[in-house]
């Protein structure tokens, strides 16, 4: 297990590693922010600038930064294509990460200079990633569904950037007028469904069979998911922006079909697994898929009743998919990928010379399961708290989620530091 993640040398771990560290910092900030904006989220105030700022800590900060790091690690081993330029990867990192911090600060402080500085750096960082990965893809020796998912997701990432710039300009000018909410809905779905979920679908096709030991499962459902999801998004966007309900519903139907195909694929992998007992990373992943399914159920309901007329329902829909689904899914993959990469970097060369820990011993299973209870329990409390409009209940759920994040970060610090002293002594 995990051999498909192994890099050709430890030097290549620096680029994904710095992305993973930065993403953890954004996750921590987002978790604290979730407690802070509890009154607004409990009331369903999804148009609040505070909500927008904290949301971007999770979307641009936690999810996107992690995906960038994962791409730099997985492309060479999954597609047989070394990243076109590691230097460009470092430059994009030092543009993108400070850009996200400045951008969020600008939103929270309503500062035009910070807004502009942040979005400029984000744009440069994203464009460099798109160019770097885009130049890597043609060199791939394998062009399976994972390859196509990356190519599709990069296109949606570029669209997300354009829509984000439009919404930022509207924040200061109001030029979108009554189209603001529709544009925001399109931006949100292009980012989460087009960019994040498409990447999750494609990477899961490669990672879940490896982690579950589920080789031999029917894998045709991934291809179907990657046909329906990208087809539905443009249709949904046109319907929303022009105001054609029939077209919007057609887009939703296609996206729902894509989501269902992904759920069937995940179930197929789970049923074909040779590993009877799931470790904590796979438990996070399985629960995240259930939250994504719940979000897929809530989406059409929100559209049918009107998100602006029922803002708490719309807020619950987004939080279910973003925190319960995508954030927890990435946490689960962290537990599968980061300890293995840390073990490779620190202990591979010491086998046979001294006793080395196993990958599972780099973190505490008991603490990881405590984190699972806190984060899943926290998200589960948030949803009824929004339904009831209860700020106090929402704060309880947000605090539990934040405590889970604190445990997670302590776990990752342990993973990154176990054996470092003895390694330094050995090398000395």
């Amino acid at each position: 297990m995990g051999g498909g993640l192994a890099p050709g040398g430890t030097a290549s771990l620096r680029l994904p590693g710095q992305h993973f560290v930065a993403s953890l910092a954004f996750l921590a900030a987002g978790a604290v922010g979730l407690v802070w904006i509890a009154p607004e989220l409990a009331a369903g105030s999804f148009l609040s600038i505070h909500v927008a700022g904290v949301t971007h800590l999770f979307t641009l900060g936690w999810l996107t930064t992690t995906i960038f790091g994962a791409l730099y690690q997985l492309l060479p081993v999954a597609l047989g294509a070394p990243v076109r330029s590691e230097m460009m990867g470092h430059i994009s990192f030092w543009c993108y990460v400070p850009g996200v911090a400045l951008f969020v600060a600008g939103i929270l402080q309503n500062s035009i200079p910070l807004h502009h500085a942040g979005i400029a750096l984000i744009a440069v960082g994203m464009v460099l990633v798109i160019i770097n990965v885009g130049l890597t893809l043609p060199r791939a020796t394998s062009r399976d569904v994972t390859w196509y998912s990356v190519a599709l997701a990069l296109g949606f990432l570029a669209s997300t950037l354009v829509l984000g710039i439009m919404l930022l300009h509207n924040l200061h000018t109001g030029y979108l007028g009554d189209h603001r909410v529709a544009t925001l809905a399109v931006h949100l779905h292009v980012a989460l469904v087009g960019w994040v979920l498409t990447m999750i679908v494609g990477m899961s096709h490669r990672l879940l069979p490896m982690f579950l030991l589920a080789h031999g499962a029917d894998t045709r459902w991934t291809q179907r998911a990657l046909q329906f999801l990208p087809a539905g998004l443009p249709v949904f966007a046109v319907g929303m922006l022009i105001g054609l309900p029939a077209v919007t519903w057609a887009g939703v139907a296609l996206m729902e079909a894509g989501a269902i195909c992904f759920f069937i694929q995940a179930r197929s992998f789970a049923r074909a697994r040779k590993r009877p007992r799931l470790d904590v990373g796979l438990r996070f992943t399985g629960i995240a898929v259930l939250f994504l399914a719940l979000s897929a159920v809530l989406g059409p309901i929100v559209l049918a009743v009107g998100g602006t007329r029922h803002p708490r329902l719309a807020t619950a829909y987004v939080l279910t998919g973003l925190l319960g689904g995508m954030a927890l899914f990435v946490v689960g993959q962290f537990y599968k990928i980061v300890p293995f990469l840390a073990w490779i970097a620190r202990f591979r060369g010491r086998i046979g010379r001294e006793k080395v820990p196993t990958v599972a011993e780099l973190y505490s299973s008991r603490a990881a399961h405590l984190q699972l209870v806190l984060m899943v329990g926290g998200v589960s409390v948030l949803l009824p708290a929004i339904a009831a409009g209860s700020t106090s209940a929402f704060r309880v759920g947000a605090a539990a989620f934040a405590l889970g994040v604190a445990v997670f970060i302590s776990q990752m610090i342990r993973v990154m530091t176990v054996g470092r002293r003895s390694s330094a002594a050995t090398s000395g």
Side-chain angles (χ1 to χ4, degrees), residues 208-209 212-219 265-276:
L208 289 185
L212 289 166
L213 301 180
H215 302 289
D218 182 359
T219 59
Q265 184 65 83
R267 182 172 179 267
S268 176
F269 287 142
R271 295 185 67 180
R273 76 184 191 271
K274 302 298 187 293
R275 180 182 297 279

Side-chain angles (χ1 to χ4, degrees), residues 258-326:
I260 290 171
C261 289
F262 170 59
F263 302 144
I264 294 174
Q265 184 65 83
R267 182 172 179 267
S268 176
F269 287 142
R271 295 185 67 180
R273 76 184 191 271
K274 302 298 187 293
R275 180 182 297 279
R277 182 175 180 179
L278 300 181
D279 60 30
V280 70
L282 290 172
R283 291 184 182 186
F284 266 108
T285 301
I287 293 172
V289 171
L290 294 178
F291 274 116
L292 286 173
L294 176 57
S295 180
V297 171
L298 290 175
I301 298 174
V302 172
L303 180 61
V305 302
T308 54
R309 294 196 300 272
H310 296 83
R312 293 209 298 269
L313 178 60
T315 303
Y317 160 62
V318 174
L319 282 183
T320 301
L322 176 58
L323 296 184
M326 296 172 184

Side-chain angles (χ1 to χ4, degrees), residues 55-247:
T55 299
H56 282 92
L57 286 171
F58 287 107
T59 54
L60 290 176
W62 167 236
L63 295 174
T64 300
T65 308
T66 299
I67 291 173
F68 287 165
L71 282 174
Y72 288 128
Q73 176 57 36
L74 295 175
L75 282 178
V77 293
L79 302 180
V83 175
R84 184 67 177 83
S85 170
E86 190 165 328
M87 177 62 71
M88 188 182 294
H90 289 294
I91 294 172
S92 65
F93 173 84
W94 288 111
C95 290
Y96 181 79
V97 169
V100 173
L102 289 173
F103 178 69
V104 171
I107 292 177
L108 297 179
Q109 298 181 26
N110 197 23
S111 168
I112 294 178
L114 289 179
H115 276 161
H116 289 170
I119 199 64
L121 287 171
I122 288 172
V124 172
M126 278 191 178
V127 169
L128 288 176
V129 170
I130 292 170
I131 292 173
N132 204 9
V133 177
L135 292 175
T136 300
L137 291 177
R139 306 162 67 191
T141 58
S142 172
R143 296 199 177 187
D144 59 5
V145 291
T146 300
W147 188 95
Y148 285 103
S149 73
V150 174
L152 287 167
L154 288 178
F156 286 120
L157 177 62
S159 301
T160 299
L161 177 61
V162 172
L163 289 165
I165 292 173
M166 290 173 57
L167 287 165
L168 177 62
H169 184 54
N170 177 76
L171 193 62
H172 303 299
T173 65
Y175 78 100
L176 288 175
D178 294 337
H179 296 285
R180 177 195 174 193
V181 175
T183 305
L184 177 62
V186 171
H187 172 64
L188 185 68
H189 284 84
V190 170
L192 295 183
V193 178
W195 163 237
V196 180
L197 184 57
T198 298
M199 194 68 75
I200 285 175
V201 171
M203 291 300 179
S204 296
H205 183 81
R206 183 61 65 101
L207 296 176
L208 289 185
M210 179 173 62
F211 295 147
L212 289 166
L213 301 180
H215 302 289
D218 182 359
T219 59
R220 292 173 294 178
W221 292 101
T222 302
Q223 182 178 355
R224 294 163 185 162
L226 292 174
Q227 290 170 341
F228 286 121
L229 286 172
L233 263 174
V235 177
F236 169 79
V238 169
M240 288 293 294
L241 295 176
I242 298 180
L244 297 174
V247 176

